[in-house]
């Protein structure tokens, strides 16, 4: 029986394919809501929307890969430079795309003059969102008559927490003695889980919708600290679960029985509403067990279109939603249109922005060891 470390070939695995599938799933679920076909993203018989489980999967993979990147980086500076190069160009481009192209286009599609476009608000949409925090969600006078109005790219909310967790693992490796690093990673998982347990038995913020720049909506005012700490813990638990799997990759063995037990446990917790509280590690085992398979190794590799798909899909879908207001297409056709419109933008972003930006990593002489899925 092979261990995780033995099973995961850096060049032949399905991790990138899974990430692209996750990004595509988010695109489709958002399309159904933004197109007005459902009032909220589907839950089926689960406690939370399906998108929350997909995002959890994203953070599991990120925890594994980013921990690998940090451990194998020459220094914290080298690691930080690489992470900024991977995330920041696409982040900025997604806001510039809206401000310069999609915003004016939205007015044209509504039969209005571009002369009425609020360029000062468009500029604010870019510079207020520069540092991974969504401080402005809309551009004045745009997308006000679509099913989900005045929100250009709510998908981007997770990137603040993603980058924060990258910094957590980066600093942990920097300050922790090597012999205590694995213990520190386990403590990270335990700490975030403890916060979620506290939240679940008290406020239970995850049961409320989000609006008004991501602040909790409902009868309970959680305060600013918990409004940030709860999603950090919710996502951080899965990130650190992935990090734990990396830390003990040479000891964790994969078996079919363990896979099905972990899947059944995660499934049950998703139904009763405790998935984000106690299912991080079993779910991480399931995701990485699927990732070791080489069957989909050619999908999304060596190119990585998952980030572009995730970051551009929401605003592109909002533009298509304008057209769909007056020409209501069947749901499947609207979703197909969103896929076809997003795919070339993600392709262009990777080949002409993200990949060229990553070539600058040589400015900090980093590690030579291949890390799966981590440019």
């Amino acid at each position: 029986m092979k261990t995780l470390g033995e099973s995961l070939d850096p060049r032949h695995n399905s991790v990138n394919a899974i990430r692209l599938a996750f990004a595509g799933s988010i695109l489709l679920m958002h399309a159904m809501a933004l197109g007005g076909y459902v009032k909220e993203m589907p839950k089926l018989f689960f406690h939370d929307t399906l998108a929350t489980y997909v995002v959890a999967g994203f953070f599991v993979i990120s925890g594994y890969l980013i921990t690998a990147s940090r451990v194998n980086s020459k220094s914290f500076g080298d690691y930080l430079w690489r992470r900024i190069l991977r995330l920041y160009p696409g982040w900025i481009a997604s806001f510039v795309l809206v401000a310069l192209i999609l915003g004016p286009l939205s007015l044209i599609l509504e039969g209005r003059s571009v002369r009425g476009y609020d360029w000062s608000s468009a500029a604010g949409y870019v510079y207020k969102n520069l540092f991974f925090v969504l401080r402005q969600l809309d551009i004045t006078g745009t997308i006000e008559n679509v099913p989900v109005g005045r929100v250009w790219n709510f998908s981007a909310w997770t990137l603040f927490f993603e980058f924060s967790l990258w910094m957590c693992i980066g600093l942990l490796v920097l300050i922790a003695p090597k012999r205590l690093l694995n213990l520190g990673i386990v403590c990270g998982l335990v700490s975030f889980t403890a916060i979620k347990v506290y939240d679940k038995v008290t406020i239970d913020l995850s049961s409320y919708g989000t609006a008004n720049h991501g602040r909790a909506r409902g009868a309970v005012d959680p305060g600013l600290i918990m409004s940030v700490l709860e999603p950090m813990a919710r996502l951080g638990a899965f990130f650190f679960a992935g990090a734990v799997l990396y830390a003990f990759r040479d000891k964790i063995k994969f078996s079919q029985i363990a896979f099905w037990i972990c899947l059944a446990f995660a499934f049950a917790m998703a139904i009763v509403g405790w998935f984000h509280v106690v299912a991080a590690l079993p779910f991480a085992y399931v995701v990485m067990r699927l990732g070791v398979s080489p069957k989909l190794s050619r999908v999304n590799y060596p190119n990585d279109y998952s980030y572009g798909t995730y970051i551009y899909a929401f605003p592109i879908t909002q533009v298509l939603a304008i057209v769909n207001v007056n020409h209501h297409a069947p749901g499947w056709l609207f979703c197909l249109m969103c896929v076809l419109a997003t795919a070339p933008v993600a392709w262009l972003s990777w080949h002409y922005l993200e990949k060229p930006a990553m070539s600058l990593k040589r400015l900090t002489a980093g590690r030579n060891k291949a890390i799966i899925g981590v440019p």
Side-chain angles (χ1 to χ4, degrees):
M1 188 182 299
K2 289 185 177 181
T3 64
L4 171 56
E6 294 171 333
S7 303
L8 198 52
D9 187 325
R11 303 293 182 184
H12 298 88
N13 59 77
S14 296
V15 171
N16 272 0
I18 292 174
R19 287 198 293 190
L20 184 59
F22 283 160
S25 298
I26 293 290
L27 184 160
L28 294 175
M29 284 183 276
H30 279 163
M32 292 300 293
L34 298 180
Y37 299 96
V38 295
K39 291 185 177 180
E40 65 174 13
M41 287 184 286
K43 290 184 178 181
L44 296 182
F45 42 79
F46 298 112
H47 182 269
D48 299 298
T49 63
L50 296 181
T52 62
Y53 307 114
V54 174
V55 170
F58 262 127
F59 275 78
V60 164
I61 294 175
S62 179
Y64 189 99
L65 301 184
I66 297 305
T67 303
S69 175
R70 177 63 183 102
V71 169
N72 290 278
S73 294
K74 179 182 178 181
S75 64
F76 179 74
D78 172 50
Y79 165 79
L80 178 60
W81 178 239
R82 290 166 181 267
R83 295 307 97 218
I84 290 175
L85 288 176
R86 184 65 193 97
L87 207 62
Y88 204 63
W91 171 271
I92 294 299
S94 69
F95 293 101
V96 172
L97 176 68
V98 170
L100 296 184
I101 299 177
L102 299 186
L105 178 60
S106 70
L107 297 186
I108 295 173
L109 292 175
E110 291 177 341
R112 298 158 59 192
S113 173
V114 177
R115 293 180 180 179
Y117 187 60
D118 191 335
W119 288 101
S120 62
S121 181
Y125 180 74
V126 175
Y127 74 75
K128 289 182 180 179
N129 296 324
L130 279 178
F131 300 110
F132 300 120
V133 179
L134 289 179
R135 296 176 56 216
Q136 181 177 328
L137 295 177
D138 68 329
I139 295 175
T140 302
T142 63
I143 55 170
E144 295 178 336
N145 300 312
V146 293
V148 182
R150 302 188 63 182
V151 180
W152 268 110
N153 196 355
F154 197 67
S155 290
W157 76 270
T158 62
L159 274 297
F160 167 78
F161 299 98
E162 177 90 4
F163 190 76
S164 297
L165 290 165
W166 288 6
M167 293 304 98
C168 285
I169 202 70
L171 293 173
L172 178 61
V173 174
L174 179 66
I175 65 178
K178 190 173 182 179
R179 68 181 185 280
L180 298 178
L181 177 59
N182 288 359
L183 176 61
I185 292 174
V186 172
C187 287
L189 173 59
V190 172
S191 298
F192 283 131
T193 300
I195 294 171
K196 276 303 301 173
V197 170
Y198 171 79
D199 169 66
K200 184 66 178 179
V201 299
T202 55
I203 305 174
D204 196 10
L205 288 185
S206 61
S207 68
Y208 293 92
T210 54
N212 300 323
H213 302 271
R215 301 187 63 141
R217 179 182 64 201
V220 177
D221 181 6
L224 180 60
I225 293 178
M226 281 304 292
S227 292
V228 174
L229 192 57
E230 188 279 327
M232 179 69 80
R234 180 174 7 121
L235 301 175
F238 290 90
F239 181 91
F240 270 86
V244 166
L245 292 192
Y246 177 80
F248 296 97
R249 65 196 180 282
D250 294 326
K251 296 181 179 180
I252 296 174
K253 294 184 178 181
F254 281 138
S255 73
Q256 285 296 101
I257 294 178
F259 171 83
W260 288 110
I261 291 175
C262 288
L263 180 61
F265 179 81
F267 195 91
M269 292 302 99
I271 293 175
V272 300
W274 281 75
F275 176 85
H276 293 96
V277 184
V278 296
L281 204 54
F283 186 65
Y285 186 94
V286 170
V287 171
M288 294 311 298
R289 175 64 183 86
L290 296 174
V292 302
S293 170
K295 294 181 179 179
L296 301 176
S297 61
R298 298 303 301 171
V299 178
N300 205 34
Y301 183 86
N303 303 307
D304 183 7
Y305 306 120
S306 58
Y307 178 49
T309 300
Y310 182 81
I311 200 68
Y312 300 115
F314 198 107
I316 290 173
T317 300
Q318 284 289 56
V319 171
L320 292 175
I322 296 172
V323 179
N324 202 47
V325 168
N326 296 322
H327 305 281
H328 199 67
W332 67 268
L333 180 57
F334 182 75
C335 289
L336 179 60
M337 290 167 57
C338 293
V339 171
L340 294 178
T342 302
V345 178
W347 187 92
L348 288 170
S349 178
W350 169 254
H351 288 283
Y352 294 99
L353 178 64
E354 299 167 51
K355 189 175 180 180
M358 287 305 303
S359 67
L360 298 176
K361 65 185 179 181
R362 63 179 180 273
L363 297 180
T364 58
R367 42 90 177 126
N368 295 318
K369 183 178 178 181
I371 306 297
I372 60 167
V374 183

